[in-house]
């Protein structure tokens, strides 16, 4: 352990990849989405009707939190070019005669166009513009029915026959910070753990210190591995627990589970990631190849975790492959035991999978010892 602490102190890569970069990642992701949802995204309006009703629709669209009307265009062509120039994310098209047809109950057509080049902006603005088009027809219908002497209750029953009672579980604010930071930050921390685990073993071969390392442990590879990775484990646990305190205590992210569950989850995250990194080096005892495998697996795990695209919607082969990524099991335990507050027994399979990743080094530990004593580093 003292030998490893000396290496950690002398090599600047460890300082950057174990402390500086993870801390920057934590603050970067949680601050870039600090508002929870994007606000004041630019939209345009093509109002060829130019009546008090159409202008009211424009003002209502501009009043939404996520939409801000930045320009009015004389034609659809000009608005489309503005979307292509990335000046606006979408526009509302109100054709001439809209108000007249509304008052005559002839079902006018209001169009809205939005770009899906940026998925979040497109989906959010589509929701706002769809709401505006619905509100426009409802406002005119409400005025007509009041003129006929109908009560507000009767009007409400006709305009909205089914009343929606919406309950968003775990993230009722629809906050992208809560939604993305809780998987992206742990995923990137896992990437650093993968790389540092393989790097610390690969550099023993690269700098020709592997035999001295094994000899100092009395030829016992298990003791050598414990001495090497225990200081790293302590540092990683400090980073992970610091992240959990920051997002759940300081930022107030929702958590229904016990604080001890967060401690257990952080411990499993670090040990499973180190286990996979050691296993990757044991499969290919080469600094370059093992780090390539680790980086590839970590990057793919962000997509295969199921946070952005549900695993149940993937092809059968990809669903099976998703079980081979530690981040997938971390994310499932996080959802079940932290977000929703269910007991650990409900996530026992994912707990067992993370424990299996922790035990992977035992499959290759003899091969690692053989590599340290006999392999010659090839650049």
């Amino acid at each position: 352990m003292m030998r490893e602490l000396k290496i950690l102190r002398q090599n600047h890569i460890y300082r950057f990849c174990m402390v500086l970069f993870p801390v920057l990642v934590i603050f970067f992701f949680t601050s870039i989405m600090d508002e929870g949802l994007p606000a004041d995204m630019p939209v345009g309006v093509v109002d060829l009707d130019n009546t008090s009703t159409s202008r009211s629709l424009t003002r209502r669209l501009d009043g939404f939190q996520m939409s801000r009307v930045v320009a009015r265009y004389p034609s659809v062509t000009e608005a489309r070019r503005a979307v292509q120039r990335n000046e606006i994310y979408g526009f509302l098209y109100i054709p001439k005669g809209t108000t007249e047809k509304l008052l005559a109950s002839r079902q006018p057509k209001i169009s809205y166009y939005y770009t899906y080049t940026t998925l979040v902006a497109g989906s959010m603005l589509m929701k706002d513009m769809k709401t505006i088009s619905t509100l426009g027809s409802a406002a005119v219908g409400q005025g007509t029915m009041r003129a006929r002497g109908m009560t507000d209750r009767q009007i409400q029953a006709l305009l909205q026959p089914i009343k929606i009672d919406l309950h968003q579980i775990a993230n009722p604010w629809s906050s992208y910070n809560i939604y993305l930071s809780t998987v992206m930050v742990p995923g990137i921390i896992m990437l650093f753990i993968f790389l540092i685990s393989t790097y610390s073993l690969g550099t023993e071969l690269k700098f020709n210190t592997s035999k001295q390392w094994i000899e100092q442990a009395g030829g016992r590879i298990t003791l050598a591995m414990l001495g090497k990775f225990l200081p790293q484990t302590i540092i990683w646990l400090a980073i992970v627990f610091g992240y959990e305190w920051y997002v759940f205590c300081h930022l107030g992210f929702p958590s229904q589970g016990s604080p001890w569950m967060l401690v257990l989850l952080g411990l499993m995250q670090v040990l499973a990631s180190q286990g996979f990194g050691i296993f990757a080096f044991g499969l290919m005892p080469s600094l370059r190849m093992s780090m390539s495998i680790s980086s590839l697996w970590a990057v793919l795990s962000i997509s295969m975790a199921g946070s952005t695209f549900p695993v149940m919607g993937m092809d059968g082969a990809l669903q099976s492959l998703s079980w081979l990524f530690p981040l997938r099991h971390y994310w499932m335990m996080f959802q079940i035991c932290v977000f929703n507050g269910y007991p650990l027994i409900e996530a026992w399979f994912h707990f067992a999978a993370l424990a299996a990743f922790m035990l992977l080094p035992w499959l290759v530990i003899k091969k690692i010892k053989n590599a340290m004593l006999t392999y010659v580093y090839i650049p």
Side-chain angles (χ1 to χ4, degrees):
M1 286 182 61
M2 296 303 298
R3 175 182 180 274
E4 186 64 22
L5 288 172
K6 183 178 179 181
I7 294 174
L8 295 178
R9 186 176 66 252
Q10 293 177 346
N11 195 331
H12 298 297
I13 290 179
Y14 291 105
R15 300 179 191 175
F16 282 99
C17 293
M18 297 184 70
V19 180
L20 180 61
F21 290 156
V23 171
L24 288 178
V25 165
I26 292 171
F27 285 106
F28 173 77
F29 277 99
T30 54
S31 61
I32 198 173
M33 296 178 288
D34 184 51
E35 296 296 328
L37 284 173
D40 293 335
M41 291 181 289
V43 296
V45 173
V46 180
D47 185 5
L48 302 183
D49 196 40
N50 197 24
T51 62
S52 59
T53 302
S54 63
R55 290 192 293 270
S56 175
L57 291 179
T58 302
R59 287 193 299 270
R60 290 185 181 184
L61 178 62
D62 191 41
F64 282 175
Q65 178 185 0
M66 289 173 285
S67 304
R68 180 166 61 92
V69 178
V70 296
R72 291 167 173 81
Y73 301 95
S75 66
V76 173
T77 302
E78 291 295 326
R80 177 180 56 81
R81 288 174 179 170
V83 172
Q84 292 173 329
R85 290 193 299 266
N86 205 30
E87 296 174 356
I88 56 176
Y89 290 121
F91 62 91
L92 182 67
Y93 171 52
I94 306 174
K96 188 175 180 60
T98 298
T99 303
E100 181 183 350
K101 290 181 180 179
L102 267 174
L103 296 175
S105 300
R106 285 186 297 183
Q107 244 181 350
K109 182 183 292 185
I110 295 178
S111 305
Y112 45 88
Y113 299 82
Y114 51 95
T115 174
Y116 252 13
T117 304
T118 306
L119 186 63
V120 173
S123 60
M124 292 293 183
L125 292 181
M126 182 273 289
K127 180 181 177 182
D128 282 359
M129 290 189 286
K130 183 178 180 180
T131 303
I132 281 297
S133 62
T134 304
L135 290 177
S137 60
V140 175
Q142 187 179 31
T144 304
M145 285 183 278
R146 276 182 178 167
R148 293 176 181 174
M150 299 178 67
T151 65
D152 289 342
R153 185 164 185 170
Q154 291 172 324
I155 293 172
Q156 184 69 24
L158 290 172
L159 292 179
Q160 192 179 14
I162 298 176
K163 187 176 181 181
I164 299 174
D165 191 10
L166 179 64
H167 299 273
Q168 296 184 141
I169 299 174
N171 188 5
W173 310 274
S174 299
S175 171
Y176 274 76
N177 200 6
I178 297 172
Y179 158 58
L180 285 177
S181 294
T182 50
V183 67
M184 289 295 295
V185 174
I188 296 176
I189 291 177
M190 281 185 169
L191 167 64
F192 286 123
I193 298 176
F194 288 175
L195 293 177
I196 288 298
S197 298
T198 54
Y199 176 80
S200 60
L201 290 173
T203 49
E204 296 288 354
L205 289 175
K206 179 179 180 180
F207 299 128
N208 199 25
T209 58
S210 56
K211 294 180 180 179
Q212 181 264 338
W213 171 49
I214 299 297
E215 290 174 359
Q216 190 169 348
R220 291 173 289 178
I221 185 62
T222 303
L223 183 62
M225 297 287 283
L226 287 174
K228 173 170 285 294
F229 285 100
L230 189 55
Q232 295 183 21
T233 302
I234 295 173
I235 296 174
W236 286 125
L237 286 175
I239 295 294
V240 170
F241 291 153
Y243 154 76
E244 292 179 346
W245 175 87
Y246 178 68
V247 297
F248 292 107
C249 297
H250 181 71
L251 297 182
F253 280 21
S255 172
Q256 303 296 327
S258 166
W260 293 109
M261 180 57 64
L262 287 173
V263 173
L264 175 63
L265 193 59
L267 180 64
M268 298 284 292
Q269 174 190 357
V270 172
L271 295 180
S273 301
Q274 286 183 315
F276 182 85
I278 297 170
F279 179 72
F281 181 83
L283 286 180
M284 292 189 176
S286 164
L287 178 62
R288 181 177 66 253
M289 291 301 298
S290 59
M291 291 190 70
S292 298
I293 293 173
S294 297
S295 58
L296 174 64
W297 213 250
V299 171
L300 287 177
S301 66
I302 296 176
S303 299
M304 300 299 294
S307 60
T308 54
F309 190 90
V311 171
M312 65 183 68
M314 300 180 183
D315 292 337
L318 293 178
Q319 292 186 34
S320 301
L321 185 64
S322 67
W323 299 106
L324 302 180
F325 294 86
L327 184 60
R328 166 64 179 169
H329 303 288
Y330 168 87
W331 175 241
M332 291 302 296
M333 284 189 62
F334 188 82
Q335 286 187 88
I336 296 170
C337 301
V338 177
F339 265 0
N340 294 307
Y342 288 106
L344 183 60
I345 191 63
E346 299 292 339
W348 71 269
F349 184 84
H350 302 287
F351 178 85
L354 287 178
F357 280 106
M358 294 165 51
L359 298 176
L360 281 179
W362 291 105
L363 301 177
V364 295
I365 194 166
K366 291 183 179 179
K367 187 175 181 181
I368 292 176
K369 180 179 180 180
N370 180 59
M372 293 298 168
L373 295 177
T374 61
Y375 281 25
V376 177
Y377 177 75
I378 301 177

